[in-house]
Amino acid sequence: MAELPEIFRVMAYVGGIMAFVGLNAAFLVWMERKVAGHIQRRIGPKEVGPFGILQSLADGIKLMSKQLVVPAKADPILYRVAPALTMITAVMVFVVIPFGPALVARDINIGLLLIFAIASVNVLALLIGGWGSNNKYSVISATRAVSQNVAYEVPMLITVVTMVMIVGSMNLNEIVGQQGNLLQWYIFPWNGSILLPVAFVIFFICSLAETNRAPFDLGEAESELVAGFHTEYGGMGFGLFFLGEYGHVFVGCALASILFLGGWQCPFGWMPGVHWMMIKTYLLIFVVMWIRWTYPRTTLYGLLNLSWKVMVPFSLAVLLVTAAMLKVF
Amino acid sequence: MSGYFKEIFDGGKSLLVGLGITFKQMIQPVVTERYPRTAPKMPPRYRGHIDLVRDEEGNNKCIACGMCQRNCPTGCITIKGEKPEGAKKKVLTFYRLDFTTCSLCGICVESCPTDALEFSKEYNLAGYSAGDFVFDLLKRCEERRR
């Protein structure tokens, strides 16, 4: 693609990623309902298309055909900006995600930093969506989402700093490149620090909390807050929040597989490529869904205690042990 | 301090046990039925409206004694029988069940001297008027014979 003008690369990226985020969300909704169904010994969606796979497309068409209603006392600008903002952040972080050795929109050397810089804007979208709706449930939910995101950003970034210390680079393709086979994956304790498995667990739990997934979905606790920050949204406003959430889930799992599980590298050295990245990411997404349908929602205090009393000390311990080991060996 | 680590360890272990349970449930066969596509098989003691029992030849066993009609607390059974020329026993000619007033108490089934009545497995009853729930059991019995 190097000989083509730059604009083609941008267009291919925008078109491809928008399509991917949409289809990925449709697929994940279907997958979520199937996983939920089978965990509860039901079938799940079955009627629309083979195995009900077109169900979420049908739902999407229904959402798109609905009228966008702005509540009378809502802030008209913030109310409309919030869903777009959550979608924009979800699409933008895909810029640096390496799907394959050459399949990355922008192979920049601070990719990891860029992802966290943009993904943390997502919480702002939840905040202004909740605030702009002028609904008490939405405001409570928005404050919860903010406190939760602030709490979990800290241990997550500390583990990421640990990874950057070991790898010596923030370029995601370089991080993947160093994990050529199964034994070189950074989830294993012999690759730099004995606490790497702990780092993986911390990163995974934090990415669950960052994307507001169960059991940390306090932001949309149906039993207390109706639907949280998207209570007042209908039609595609709600649809964009949903697309954004699934986009962020994908990014979180893709990042976990890039940092710890070798990204697009094959564990046995055969044919590295997009398919390995997809297999690893969707396996992690399956684990996310599996967790969602296993555990009840935590309380807000339980959530914050878990972060400040467990996650932060453990991630600091991982950081210190890693620094010591890198210095000594 | 050791309590802190123990709590984390025990908590993590119980979380893993929970994940194991849901995974085991997930790979087991589903227990739901796709109702309009597949009809459920009713349990043996399910009480639908009453029906006439058929013997080996496919005839009803009713002797038109009228016990069910007399014992019915809501009077929802109407039967008629007659003795044909030269026959020894009465033969049932008409059996009407008004299911709108039936309470499925089962006294008719219990009181029948020849066990000619049973509960059907009919669960799919829906209609537009009360007349849809007045059944001619003799006709139903004949229809099942065909």
Side-chain angles (χ1 to χ4, degrees):
Chain A
M1 293 289 278
E3 66 274 12
L4 283 174
E6 183 63 27
I7 188 75
F8 287 103
R9 197 185 176 91
V10 175
M11 277 160 62
Y13 159 71
V14 171
I17 292 300
M18 293 289 258
F20 179 76
V21 171
L23 289 177
N24 172 59
F27 176 73
L28 288 188
V29 171
W30 172 80
M31 183 172 154
E32 175 119 46
R33 292 181 61 183
K34 274 286 182 195
V35 169
H38 281 279
I39 281 178
Q40 296 164 357
R41 309 280 297 274
R42 298 182 283 112
I43 305 177
K46 181 89 177 159
E47 298 294 327
V48 191
F51 304 105
I53 194 147
L54 299 178
Q55 178 71 55
S56 31
L57 289 183
D59 292 346
I61 290 169
K62 174 232 168 193
L63 283 177
M64 274 183 243
S65 62
K66 284 179 81 169
Q67 186 190 0
L68 289 174
V69 180
V70 182
K73 292 199 174 166
D75 187 321
I77 298 171
L78 292 186
Y79 182 84
R80 287 196 182 89
V81 163
L85 191 59
T86 185
M87 186 68 187
I88 287 168
T89 56
V91 173
M92 271 175 80
V93 287
F94 277 91
V95 178
V96 290
I97 290 192
F99 287 94
L103 196 63
V104 48
R106 265 271 177 272
D107 195 12
I108 56 180
N109 55 5
I110 49 159
L112 200 51
L113 187 64
L114 186 102
I115 286 186
F116 286 103
I118 295 174
S120 55
V121 176
N122 183 41
V123 65
L124 202 62
L126 307 190
L127 177 62
I128 65 177
W131 177 258
S133 303
N134 193 19
N135 176 316
K136 57 190 169 193
Y137 301 118
S138 303
V139 174
I140 294 173
S141 152
T143 55
R144 281 184 178 188
V146 171
S147 64
Q148 171 181 346
N149 272 265
V150 168
Y152 279 85
E153 204 115 281
V154 177
M156 191 175 201
L157 289 177
I158 293 174
T159 47
V160 170
V161 168
T162 315
M163 293 314 293
V164 172
M165 270 164 43
I166 294 171
V167 183
S169 167
M170 280 199 183
N171 183 325
L172 291 175
N173 240 342
E174 220 163 278
I175 294 173
V176 175
Q178 292 184 8
Q179 309 177 60
N181 60 44
L182 187 63
L183 294 179
Q184 290 170 333
W185 284 7
Y186 283 124
I187 192 175
F188 294 116
W190 51 81
N191 288 323
S193 163
I194 50 164
L195 288 179
L196 276 174
V198 181
F200 174 71
V201 173
I202 293 175
F203 184 87
F204 193 69
I205 293 174
C206 291
S207 70
L208 278 183
E210 286 283 298
T211 49
N212 290 316
R213 290 289 298 183
F216 306 119
D217 57 345
L218 289 164
E220 45 181 289
E222 308 95 334
S223 48
E224 311 142 36
L225 298 179
V226 191
F229 50 85
H230 54 64
T231 304
E232 295 287 350
Y233 286 90
M236 220 43 209
F238 165 75
L240 284 180
F241 271 123
F242 222 62
L243 284 178
E245 179 186 326
Y246 279 105
H248 282 290
V249 168
F250 183 89
V251 169
C253 291
L255 213 53
S257 69
I258 287 166
L259 286 176
F260 295 96
L261 304 177
W264 43 261
Q265 300 270 23
C266 170
F268 321 107
W270 313 320
M271 289 171 61
V274 186
H275 48 284
W276 281 109
M277 177 76 187
M278 288 296 162
I279 290 170
K280 288 167 187 171
T281 307
Y282 280 106
L283 269 179
L284 282 178
I285 291 175
F286 167 72
V287 175
V288 169
M289 292 174 178
W290 180 16
I291 286 172
R292 172 168 178 188
W293 295 101
T294 302
Y295 303 134
R297 185 175 300 122
T298 56
T299 59
L300 185 62
Y301 294 113
L303 175 98
L304 295 177
N305 279 345
L306 179 70
S307 171
W308 297 113
K309 289 187 180 168
V310 180
M311 292 293 163
V312 172
F314 267 74
S315 57
L316 284 173
V318 171
L319 182 73
L320 289 176
V321 168
T322 309
M325 284 185 77
L326 288 176
K327 193 74 185 164
V328 173
F329 299 111
Chain B
M1 196 62 192
S2 68
Y4 172 79
F5 285 107
K6 190 174 182 305
E7 199 184 326
I8 292 172
F9 183 76
D10 291 348
K13 208 172 121 191
S14 73
L15 290 180
L16 289 182
V17 170
L19 281 179
I21 289 170
T22 43
F23 191 78
K24 263 185 231 148
Q25 292 291 324
M26 186 171 64
I27 53 178
Q28 277 168 18
V30 295
V31 291
T32 50
E33 282 163 340
R34 298 182 63 202
Y35 162 59
R37 305 266 184 277
T38 57
K41 194 178 173 333
M42 302 314 285
R45 295 182 66 175
Y46 178 78
R47 290 187 174 194
H49 67 75
I50 54 165
D51 232 346
L52 287 168
V53 179
R54 291 158 66 222
D55 61 9
E56 290 81 49
E57 289 104 58
N59 299 317
N60 65 65
K61 287 152 80 175
C62 181
I63 52 171
C65 61
M67 288 291 270
C68 46
Q69 184 176 358
R70 239 171 293 136
N71 280 322
C72 182
T74 55
C76 59
I77 297 172
T78 315
I79 71 168
K80 279 180 195 149
E82 61 180 28
K83 203 185 265 184
E85 283 299 313
K88 273 185 189 158
K89 285 185 196 162
K90 270 171 105 178
V91 174
L92 183 68
T93 55
F94 179 74
Y95 198 120
R96 195 185 67 194
L97 168 71
D98 184 5
F99 195 51
T100 54
T101 54
C102 174
S103 62
L104 292 166
C105 64
I107 293 176
C108 48
V109 178
E110 264 174 55
S111 66
C112 183
T114 57
D115 289 336
L117 288 175
E118 64 177 355
F119 288 111
S120 69
K121 301 285 174 265
E122 206 58 66
Y123 60 91
N124 227 343
L125 295 172
Y128 290 101
S129 66
D132 293 345
F133 301 101
V134 179
F135 304 116
D136 189 340
L137 295 192
L138 193 58
K139 215 198 260 169
R140 275 176 62 88
C141 191
E142 294 294 319
E143 271 165 15
R144 278 189 297 164
R145 199 170 167 183
R146 265 183 264 125

